[in-house]
Every structure is written in structure tokens, then in C-alpha cells.
Amino acid sequence: MKHRPLHDGWTLRAASGDSGITGVPATVPGCVHTDLMAAGLIDDPYLDANETRLTWIGRTDWAYETSFHWEPDDPDARVDLVCEGLDTVATVMLNGRELGTTANMHRSYRFPVRDLLVEGANSLCVLFGSPYEYAERRRAELGDRPGAYAEPYQFIRKMACNFGWDWGPTLVTSGIWRPIGLETWSVARLACVRPLVEVVRDGDRIDGKITVHAQIERQSDEPLDIRVSLGDLAKVVGALPEGRATAEVRVDVPAPELWWPRGYGEQPLYDLTVELVDASGRVLDTWRREVGFRSVRLDTDGGAFTIVVNDRPVFVKGVNWIPDDCFPTRVTPKRLAERIDQACRAGVNTLRVWGGGRYECEEFYRLADEKGLLVWQDFPFACAAYPEEGPFREEVEAEARQNVVALAHHPSLVLWCGNNENIEGFHDWGWRERLAGKSWGAGFYYDLLPSVVAELDPTRPYWPGTPYSGAPDLPPNDPARGTIHIWDVWNTRDYTHYASYRPRFVAEFGFQGPPTYATLRRAVSDDPLTPTSPGVLHHQKADDGHGKLMRGLEGHFRTPRTFDDWHYLTQLNQARAIAFGVEHLRALAPHCMGAIVWQLNDCWPVTSWSAVDGDGRRKPLWYALRRAYADRLLVVRPTSVTVVNDTAEPWTGRLTVTRINVAGEPLAEETFEVTAEPRGVAAVELPGPLATPSYPMLELLVAELDGVRALRPFAEDRDMAYPEARMEAHAESATGGAVVTVTAQTLVRDLAIFPDRLDPAASVDDMLVTLLPGETARFRVTSPGGLDTAALTTYPVLRCVNETPRRPTDP
């Protein structure tokens, strides 16, 4: 097997409309938007409101063209053009002859081209039809279907969020978005390799079993062999008789090391190699991947929703993952590794790949395998009623079959989920009446997709959608069963309403905050920059998003008077809201066995629910999430403290709970002997002297156990009579940045440092730290370009809740 990439010499032209664009150098893999940007023909759609002037791109036909030289080196060899990803509606032509058409971003395609290639120069053209024209034509043919947005995304097998979302721009792309090239082979090739990796238990003994299913494409009927090896541990040869096109080879692995989720053990991976060999011993084709041994099942008894790995229930500390860029080829392996690392360092053990995006790249799942991150994979259906008629159904089946097989070897992948919020939409959003009997996707979620998973990947559980209560006739968002999404908090309720829920598993809940200052300032040129200036509002896609941000502050903070105060307080409120929700859900374990925060990342600079903004900078929420997802956590409520232990060892010790005043003076104190069992919780009810403040506006509860501390005021910050913060703050240069040392003379509430205001490349190791009088904290600031150390300790870089009030005219 020989592979020749065809990534050079491409040009782009508009094949419809009157733009006159032609002969533009094109990068493959890539897309129209990035090529036009590189040529200086459009402005960056992520800046200001440029996006609104670029909708014509998605309504235009585009042609990618190149030529290449070809010399036949084996007259009997087969040559295929392999297109790993075409976005989306494409006609592929070689030397003026049509090879085929495509209509699915989520699939790859292979075309035999040996008879069309000519010695010397060959021309290749991929003509992309307008995604809008295609989707609107299908909508007219099949009848309209309801959706969350007035865009036709459910009528085309393409990344739905390309059409805009409540956190994303409307940038409808076209292009060769994954590699394209020629594959030359003879005799036979491995058309498909599907390893099923299982753990076999016999009493206390644990062995491994890999069943390799191989499909062969042949040029001849001669007998062949399939050689399977697992590093140096095992080698098995299976015979492929004359003419046969399928093989099944079993590899038994005595006592393999098990792969575990983060925090539960190690992640050993084994090299699996499958070779196709002819009678002379010549290797015709090779397939290599890393695999891991682990079992996974879903416990749904009594309405539960618990992911069980290697027979151990796992409390899911998760984040939702959306496409990290509207233009996928800009997500480099380095950028992906940074984002995965940010998830790990926040204490996350699970990534949910959300259904409005795409199946992620191989590198994403490989990193999850290495890091021990569990992956919940949605099939790409989200927030709409989808037609089930042909040819749509055939596309969905082909896409599902290909991607289930492609991902089956990854130990990190633990769940297939049919869709995002479509079952809820049918039951609760008025779709049933609007559909008037038309198909909406039920046949996919309850029949087609589970059948594909059962046939091709029976080692993993399937769940029809989220939210979902376990049966089609049950209310889908019932906290007593299955998975729920909590969105009334962001839309209509104060975040303390999270405490009214007693769910089994929450797959989505979130609260908004703006991006970091450096990210917002890069994306928005408003002068002055205000919470409601045009660019800031354009980078807020949620319905009444600014109004909800301000209403969310009302019960907790005084109304901000300056942009800087708005920026700090809305970011802080986002962090507080999600920390409150996560802590509540973790304290409910094992009744509740999962919290998946919406969302880890962003695809562009925007005010959203993310912990990491569109430029990859960590928002205050990230630091709060790191505390809330720590292995050991104290959850303080007015009348109780819950000890949460997500480790394999008991957490035993003396819990000290103190009621103090805002001057840091103890008013009441008690010590409790506590034990939280491994992966368990222990609740301590507080006696009256601790739980009953004399003056709520002046008092706080502080709980400490083995160096873990949690603090809770008896009133909201807007009502607390905090002293104006006094502190000694000193910054000194250090290798690669600076160290800031802060010693509190009074209580200092939620101290934060925002070094990106001084250097966009700067970051800090911690924030949202509350200091009691006399306590000291040190912060490491990283800045490759150097910093003005004096500015690190002044407003608006150094902030806390009870700082000296600022007037709008203050510098």
C-alpha cells in the first residue's frame, strides 16, 4: 500500500455568484473562509461584526482545483482517490470525468481512479455546492421541521453549529477539510479493521480478549493471512481462504493491565498491529492503533444513570466539548493538547462531545486514551427535528457505521448517545403539533443507531439521547431518572435554585460570563468598551444574554458602575454559580453520579458558558471548577458541611467548623470526627451555635479538614458588611514572569489577578482566593514578554469583592 497526499498546488474560485473570485491559492486541508482570509479578500470573521458581511460565502458554489503528475509504476495495481473529509455537498472530478458526489461532512469517500489517470499531468477538481441551497432544497422536498434556530441545519449532514448557535457565529463553510490523496495497492487491502477489546473475568482472574474483525477488498482470489500482534505479548495468524473477504481473529491476553479513568488508576495502552500478508509472506497492508483493556457498562437500575468502569462506579466530573474552532483545520495537535490539558488540570474526568458539532479527530481520542479522560460521544444531531426519509437515512447509516468502527478501539470512549435535546424538543417544546405526523428522528435514536452500535460495537452502552429518562413514553427531563439538563437557572432562576434539584445525572448545566479582557479586546474594537457597546453585544449570541447576566448579579452583588467592574463581577458570578451547582451535585452522590458542565471551550471570542475562552485563556470559572472538581471537597451550607471524597482511600480526620465575624474573630467553633468512605460522602449537621448567626451580614462559616478549606458567608456579598480590603501586595520579577505576594490585613474576598490586561500572553496559576486577616497567598504569573510588576498590584489587574469602591471616572 502506497499513499500519496494531494495537498499541493490547489486554487480556489467562486463557481457561482458575481464575486469574481478566481485563482486564489488554497490550503488543503482547509476551507473557503480561511483561504479567502489568507488572500486578504475577507476580514477576520471573528472580529467585530465582520461575520455579518460574510453570509454570501455559504450561499456560493466553490471549486477547488489542482493538477498533479502521475507515472504508473505497476500496471496491475489499483489506484483509489481517498477523500477523508469533504465539507459537504461535493462533486469530485478527475480529468474532466465525474467520480462521484458527496453530501456528508462526517464521512470519508473512496473512488477507483486507475482507468481515469493519464501518464503525466492530471487535473483534479472538487466542486462544492452551496450548503444553504442544498439544505433549503431538501427542506422544500421533505417539509419543514422545527428547530432551535431559524436555519436549515437539520437538512444537511454537516456540523450544525456552522449555522450559528447561542455561543457561535454563523459561518457556513465549504472545503476539503481532511486529507485527500491517492492510494495504490495490489492483490488486496484492509478495507476495514474493527477490534473489539474485552475484559474476561473468571473469579479473581482477569484476562483480556481482542476480537479483530477485518474486511478485505480484493483484486485476486489467492489465499491470504491476517497477522495480529499485541506488542510482544501475543501474535496470532488467521487464514483467509481463497476468495474470502472477511476474517475474524481472536487474541487472548493473559492478565493485562487494566485501563482506568483519571483518578482511578493508570492508563496502560498496548500496540495492536494487523497485517494482511500474501502466501509469500509479503505484507500487503498494515493497520496500527493503541488499545486498552477495560470494561464499561451503564447502571440504570431504579432510574439511576451511573457509568461503571471495570466494575467500579465513576462519579463523572465532566465538561461539554464543542468544536474548538469554526474552521476545524486550525485546531492543531498542539492546540488540542493544550485544551485537553486544561480539562485535566481542572480536575475533569469526562468529556462529552456534543451533538451539534462533529466526530472529533483521531488525536482527540488518542489524547483522551493517554490522559484517562472518559469520552461520551453524541451522534451529530442537536436541537432540531431531523427527517428520516431517504437519502438522508442512508447517509446517517453510512456515517454511523463508519464512525463507530473508526472509534471502537479507543478505551476512553465509554458511551454512544443518540442526540442532544431532540427527544426533549419533541415532548416539551411544541414540536409534536408542528410536525403533524412527519418524521423527527425517533427512528434514528430508538432503532437505527442502537442497531448499528449493537452490531459493530457491543462493548459499549448506547443511550438514545440527553436529556432522557430511559423510555420513550417518560418525561425526558425528569430528575428522578436518567440524564437531565438544567437550563431554568441560566434563563429564569437564581443559581441557588440548583439546590432544589435532586437528579440522578446532569449532562448539561451552565452559566455565562464574558471572555478574558485580552480576548475581548482583541476581538472588539469598540471605543469606549462597555458592556453594551456594539461589538460586545455582537459577541453575545444568547437570547437576552446581557439582560440575563445583569439579572444574575442582582441577588449577589451591587450593580457594577464601570466596564471593569462589570467584567470582573460577571466572570466571578459565573464561577460562583457553577461551583455552587457542582458542589451540590457532588454532595448528592451516590444518588447523583454525574455533573457535566456546559462548557469547557469556545470556538471564537464570545461571552458564553465556557471555562476557557475562544483564544484559549482560562476564565475565573476554570479556577473555580478546579476547586469544585478536586478529589477532596468540603461543601458548606448554612446548617451542614458535606465531606466529599473521590479517592480510593477513606478520608478520616478532625473537621473544624468555625463561625467567624468579618474581622476574622471566632464566635463559635466545634470539631467533628469524620470519615468519608472511598468514593463516598459524609454529611455533618451543624449545631445551633454554628448554624445560627447573631448578625448574618457580619458573619461567615469556615470549615477545614486536612488542609482543605471552604468558606460561606451567611448573607450574599451585596449585603455583607465587609471591611474595605486592606492588604500588602508586592510583585517581583522571576524567571518567565513574576511572583505576587499578598498578605491580608482584613478579610479579602475572592482575590483575583488578571495579568492578561498587561500582557495578552500572561497567565496566573490561581485566583478567587479568600484570605482571612493575617494570611498570605503567593501567585505565580507567567509572562513570556515581561511585565510591569508595579501594575500587577493595582486596579484593575488586582481585584477583590470588598475592594475600595471605584467611580466611573477613576483611572
Side-chain angles (χ1 to χ4, degrees):
M1 174 79 72
K2 296 179 182 178
H3 181 80
R4 175 185 174 184
L6 296 177
H7 295 162
D8 299 328
W10 289 89
T11 59
L12 171 69
R13 63 177 173 87
S16 69
D18 57 3
S19 66
I21 293 174
T22 186
V24 175
T27 298
V28 171
C31 75
V32 171
H33 288 77
T34 51
D35 289 332
L36 296 181
M37 272 192 284
L41 297 175
I42 63 171
D43 294 324
D44 187 339
Y46 288 4
L47 305 184
D48 294 319
N50 294 341
E51 157 207 0
T52 60
R53 297 188 292 275
L54 301 176
T55 55
W56 60 273
I57 295 175
R59 295 190 174 277
T60 301
D61 298 340
W62 297 94
Y64 278 80
E65 296 166 315
T66 191
S67 61
F68 60 92
H69 189 84
W70 183 75
E71 294 286 347
D73 56 3
D74 181 351
D76 298 323
R78 167 87 172 260
V79 183
D80 295 336
L81 177 69
V82 180
C83 309
E84 295 187 27
L86 300 176
D87 177 18
T88 291
V89 183
T91 301
V92 184
M93 304 183 71
L94 177 64
N95 294 327
R97 298 280 298 276
E98 181 178 314
L99 301 179
T101 61
T102 76
N104 196 327
M105 178 186 185
H106 306 301
R107 289 179 59 189
S108 63
Y109 297 86
R110 177 181 290 265
F111 305 104
V113 296
R114 178 64 181 84
D115 294 340
L116 296 180
L117 288 167
V118 298
E119 189 170 348
N122 291 260
S123 64
L124 179 60
C125 173
V126 184
L127 178 64
F128 290 96
S130 157
Y132 269 116
E133 192 277 332
Y134 175 90
E136 289 166 351
R137 186 172 71 250
R138 288 283 180 256
R139 180 171 62 186
E141 293 169 354
L142 299 171
D144 199 8
R145 304 289 200 283
Y149 304 99
E151 295 278 346
Y153 55 90
Q154 67 267 53
F155 294 94
I156 184 171
R157 291 311 293 155
K158 176 176 172 59
M159 194 161 74
C161 59
N162 260 184
F163 290 85
W165 223 258
D166 55 5
W167 39 257
T170 303
L171 295 169
V172 180
T173 57
S174 293
I176 304 170
W177 76 284
R178 279 183 164 165
I180 185 171
L182 295 176
E183 284 193 357
T184 303
W185 56 277
S186 60
V187 183
R189 72 176 186 91
L190 292 167
C192 175
V193 176
R194 179 170 57 94
L196 297 181
V197 183
E198 298 174 84
V199 172
V200 181
R201 296 181 182 271
D202 184 5
D204 293 334
R205 182 176 176 82
I206 299 176
D207 293 322
K209 180 180 76 170
I210 303 176
T211 307
V212 175
H213 300 265
Q215 292 182 352
I216 314 302
E217 186 174 11
R218 285 177 170 271
Q219 272 190 310
S220 75
D221 289 336
E222 66 182 78
L224 304 169
D225 284 335
I226 301 287
R227 289 198 309 223
V228 180
S229 60
L230 192 70
D232 297 327
L233 294 181
K235 288 183 172 59
V236 178
V237 177
L240 199 67
E242 186 175 310
R244 187 169 175 178
T246 62
E248 182 178 308
V249 180
R250 171 170 169 161
V251 180
D252 292 311
V253 184
E257 295 183 70
L258 295 183
W259 184 97
W260 290 94
R262 288 183 65 79
Y264 286 73
E266 300 300 315
Q267 294 80 42
L269 298 171
Y270 296 85
D271 294 319
L272 178 65
T273 302
V274 180
E275 295 175 311
L276 182 63
V277 183
D278 68 11
S280 69
R282 179 170 61 117
V283 177
L284 303 174
D285 199 0
T286 303
W287 180 98
R288 290 189 180 90
R289 299 291 189 276
E290 287 186 318
V291 299
F293 290 90
R294 59 99 187 95
S295 64
V296 60
R297 59 184 172 86
L298 195 58
D299 179 1
T300 58
D301 288 347
F305 188 92
T306 303
I307 293 174
V308 181
V309 179
N310 298 329
D311 289 337
R312 292 190 190 174
V314 175
F315 188 95
V316 165
K317 298 185 288 191
V319 286
N320 281 273
W321 173 273
I322 66 170
D324 204 51
D325 201 297
C326 296
F327 313 126
T329 53
R330 301 205 301 198
V331 184
T332 63
K334 179 176 181 294
R335 175 168 160 182
L336 197 57
E338 289 172 352
R339 211 63 75 244
I340 296 292
D341 182 61
Q342 286 169 326
C344 292
R345 288 189 290 128
V348 166
N349 65 16
T350 302
L351 299 172
R352 176 187 169 219
V353 182
W354 168 74
R358 59 188 179 90
Y359 308 94
E360 276 296 333
C361 62
E362 173 68 17
E363 181 70 5
F364 176 92
Y365 303 96
R366 189 190 67 78
L367 286 168
D369 292 344
E370 290 183 356
K371 302 291 186 179
L373 287 168
L374 304 182
V375 176
W376 162 324
Q377 177 70 54
D378 281 6
F379 285 98
F381 301 89
C383 301
Y386 283 77
E388 299 174 37
E389 294 82 354
F392 203 78
R393 181 182 176 85
E394 289 74 23
E395 283 292 343
V396 168
E397 181 171 0
E399 161 200 320
R401 286 182 170 277
Q402 178 179 321
N403 285 283
V404 167
V405 168
L407 300 180
H409 66 280
H410 288 287
S412 57
L413 180 59
V414 295
L415 181 71
W416 290 102
C417 180
N419 73 87
N420 173 77
E421 297 186 344
N422 295 346
I423 297 172
E424 181 185 27
F426 178 76
H427 283 269
D428 298 340
W429 298 355
W431 291 3
R432 192 192 308 257
E433 295 76 14
R434 294 171 59 189
L435 284 164
K438 291 195 291 288
S439 63
W440 59 276
F444 296 150
Y445 317 136
Y446 299 133
D447 179 20
L448 176 62
L449 296 176
S451 296
V452 169
V453 172
E455 175 192 348
L456 300 178
D457 189 15
T459 67
R460 287 179 182 83
Y462 170 86
W463 191 248
T466 185
Y468 185 64
S469 293
D473 58 343
L474 292 174
N477 207 34
D478 180 0
R481 304 179 182 91
T483 65
I484 68 165
H485 295 183
I486 301 177
W487 283 113
D488 59 345
V489 166
W490 162 247
N491 287 308
T492 61
R493 303 274 197 151
D494 186 77
Y495 70 70
T496 56
H497 184 65
Y498 284 131
S500 70
Y501 281 91
R502 185 175 166 79
R504 308 310 303 265
F505 193 106
V506 184
E508 276 189 26
F509 66 108
F511 204 92
Q512 270 201 355
T516 61
Y517 180 85
T519 296
L520 191 58
R521 186 72 278 182
R522 182 187 74 82
V524 174
S525 61
D526 296 352
D527 189 15
L529 195 66
T530 75
T532 57
S533 57
V536 174
L537 288 182
H538 183 77
H539 288 252
Q540 163 61 275
K541 295 293 187 178
D543 182 39
D544 189 29
H546 175 70
K548 291 172 183 175
L549 279 177
M550 296 305 293
R551 289 191 291 276
L553 290 176
E554 286 175 357
H556 305 281
F557 300 104
R558 294 173 184 173
T559 302
R561 294 175 295 172
T562 68
F563 170 81
D564 291 329
D565 290 347
W566 171 84
H567 189 257
Y568 167 58
L569 290 177
T570 51
Q571 285 196 325
L572 175 58
N573 205 44
Q574 178 191 29
R576 292 263 191 93
I578 295 305
F580 184 92
V582 168
E583 289 173 357
H584 171 67
L585 297 175
R586 291 191 67 188
L588 291 176
H591 178 83
C592 174
M593 283 301 287
I596 307 184
V597 171
W598 186 271
Q599 65 215 64
L600 174 68
N601 59 326
D602 270 323
C603 63
W604 76 314
V606 65
T607 296
S608 85
W609 298 266
S610 72
V612 177
D613 71 22
D615 282 359
R617 297 185 177 94
R618 297 172 296 182
K619 294 159 64 172
L621 169 58
W622 184 90
Y623 299 88
L625 200 59
R626 183 173 62 179
R627 289 190 182 90
Y629 275 161
D631 288 342
R632 289 181 167 177
L633 173 72
L634 299 179
V635 180
V636 180
R637 295 295 179 253
T639 61
S640 69
V641 175
T642 302
V643 180
V644 181
N645 177 26
D646 192 20
T647 75
E649 302 297 328
W651 189 10
T652 299
R654 297 170 65 85
L655 170 70
T656 301
V657 183
T658 309
R659 179 164 60 89
I660 65 171
N661 61 23
V662 293
E665 299 165 338
L667 304 174
E669 182 175 292
E670 192 159 340
T671 299
F672 307 87
E673 296 290 340
V674 297
T675 296
E677 298 298 332
R679 315 293 176 188
V681 302
V684 175
E685 295 299 317
L686 300 181
L690 288 174
T692 307
S694 301
Y695 304 97
M697 294 184 297
L698 293 170
E699 298 179 21
L700 308 88
L701 274 177
V702 180
E704 295 186 76
L705 175 62
D706 289 343
V708 178
R709 184 169 84 179
L711 179 148
R712 180 185 176 93
F714 279 99
E716 294 294 341
D717 282 341
R718 64 169 296 156
D719 301 318
M720 287 293 292
Y722 292 129
E724 289 186 12
R726 297 197 313 276
M727 64 189 101
E728 294 180 0
H730 175 69
E732 57 183 1
S733 296
T735 303
V739 174
V740 179
T741 303
V742 178
T743 299
Q745 297 168 330
T746 63
L747 183 144
V748 176
R749 180 79 162 128
D750 278 325
L751 181 67
I753 299 173
F754 298 102
D756 63 288
R757 284 177 167 269
L758 306 176
D759 172 14
S763 62
V764 65
D765 64 345
D766 201 5
M767 67 165 65
L768 307 186
V769 176
T770 294
L771 298 176
L772 301 179
E775 293 182 337
T776 297
R778 289 178 176 81
F779 302 88
R780 173 73 188 187
V781 177
T782 302
S783 172
L787 288 167
D788 176 0
T789 54
L792 280 172
T793 60
T794 59
Y795 178 97
V797 177
L798 184 70
R799 303 298 305 265
C800 68
V801 170
N802 55 321
E803 65 197 1
T804 302
R806 291 266 168 177
R807 298 183 303 274
T809 55
D810 286 342

